[in-house]
Amino acid sequence: MTGRQDMPMLIVYEGDMEGQRWVIDKDKMIIGRGTDCDIMIPKRQISRHHAQIERDEQGYLLRDLGSKNGTFVNSQPVLEKPCRLKDEDEVQIALCIKLGFVAADATLPLAMSGPSRGLHIDQAARRVFVGGHELSPPLSIAQYRLLETLFEREGEVISREEIIDIVWPEEEATGISEQAIDALARRLRERLAAADPDHAYIVTVRGHGFRLENR
């Protein structure tokens, strides 16, 4: 029998529903405002039956159900044809709620290894631990991409240009401002500081970028 951890999920990364998650455990699941939906999101901008996730032999598809305000994957509208979902895709429903799609093989709860002190990332499951405690709710996709890069290259300075390429691969580099990078780093620092207020994990190197100093 397949366990819930072997199934993909949708996770809300921002806003008043941050941390809410739904396991995709049916062949078809309707997303919408209606009380009969499998994934009910009570926002007025969302249609009663807004979108549908469908399972086929290759994986999962996201289909818009003729919604008024649209369905988007990685900022691209889902039109007549359904969109094939892959791990880390960002799904927006009516541009009012942002969800991350986490594929089945990325949700397996692998045991944390190594010491409990400091920062640890279970990259296979995309889970972040600080002082042995998992961050909850999960980081946004952008926050996780930045932290994973810094973690993999601990002690190295990661330039702003590299950060843009890694965190926003779908965007034109000219469209990402320094303020956006600073805001992302600040929010990530705040999440880590809430779990471990006595250590600054992310260091700004003026004129160059950022580096990670683990405990």
Side-chain angles (χ1 to χ4, degrees):
M1 182 176 177
T2 303
R4 290 171 68 87
Q5 70 271 16
D6 298 322
M7 298 177 183
M9 291 183 180
L10 282 177
I11 302 174
V12 182
Y13 283 121
E14 297 177 4
D16 56 359
M17 295 180 69
E18 183 176 346
Q20 175 74 51
R21 60 186 67 195
W22 294 273
V23 176
I24 311 302
D25 56 1
K26 297 180 181 178
D27 288 338
K28 291 183 179 180
M29 293 185 69
I30 294 177
I31 304 169
R33 175 166 50 82
T35 56
D36 57 338
C37 291
D38 302 289
I39 298 174
M40 191 186 78
I41 305 175
K43 304 256 182 202
R44 61 180 178 78
Q45 302 98 316
I46 295 177
S47 300
R48 194 170 71 83
H49 288 175
H50 193 105
Q52 180 171 278
I53 292 183
E54 306 167 3
R55 179 166 55 200
D56 67 7
E57 292 178 356
Q58 283 77 47
Y60 291 83
L61 297 164
L62 180 66
R63 184 187 301 276
D64 185 82
L65 297 177
S67 66
K68 180 179 179 182
N69 292 317
T71 303
F72 304 81
V73 176
N74 300 326
S75 302
Q76 298 301 309
V78 178
L79 301 173
E80 289 84 5
K81 289 179 63 178
C83 177
R84 173 78 54 194
L85 290 173
K86 61 184 184 301
D87 186 43
E88 294 193 15
D89 275 347
E90 188 173 271
V91 176
Q92 286 182 281
I93 306 297
L95 294 178
C96 73
I97 190 163
K98 190 178 291 184
L99 308 107
F101 178 76
V102 182
D105 58 0
T107 64
L108 297 173
L110 304 180
M112 188 183 76
S113 59
S116 62
R117 181 178 170 84
L119 173 73
H120 174 82
I121 301 180
D122 182 342
Q123 292 174 287
R126 289 198 332 177
R127 300 167 73 192
V128 177
F129 299 84
V130 179
H133 300 284
E134 184 174 4
L135 287 189
S136 181
L139 297 176
S140 70
I141 290 174
Q143 290 168 359
Y144 178 81
R145 285 175 178 170
L146 174 58
L147 183 60
E148 183 180 49
T149 301
L150 292 167
F151 180 78
E152 288 176 340
R153 294 164 60 182
E154 181 184 345
E156 286 185 46
V157 178
I158 311 298
S159 70
R160 292 170 179 273
E161 291 76 16
E162 285 184 273
I163 289 171
I164 291 172
D165 290 341
I166 292 164
V167 175
W168 294 282
E170 304 88 5
E171 302 288 338
E172 290 288 336
T174 54
I176 306 298
S177 66
E178 290 206 2
Q179 289 84 355
I181 299 170
D182 289 338
L184 175 64
R186 184 178 66 252
R187 289 194 299 270
L188 180 56
R189 276 197 191 99
E190 289 169 353
R191 290 298 309 275
L192 298 177
D196 186 357
D198 298 324
H199 183 71
Y201 287 92
I202 298 174
V203 177
T204 300
V205 182
R206 290 196 180 280
H208 296 282
F210 301 89
R211 74 168 186 269
L212 180 76
E213 289 188 359
N214 210 343
R215 277 188 180 273

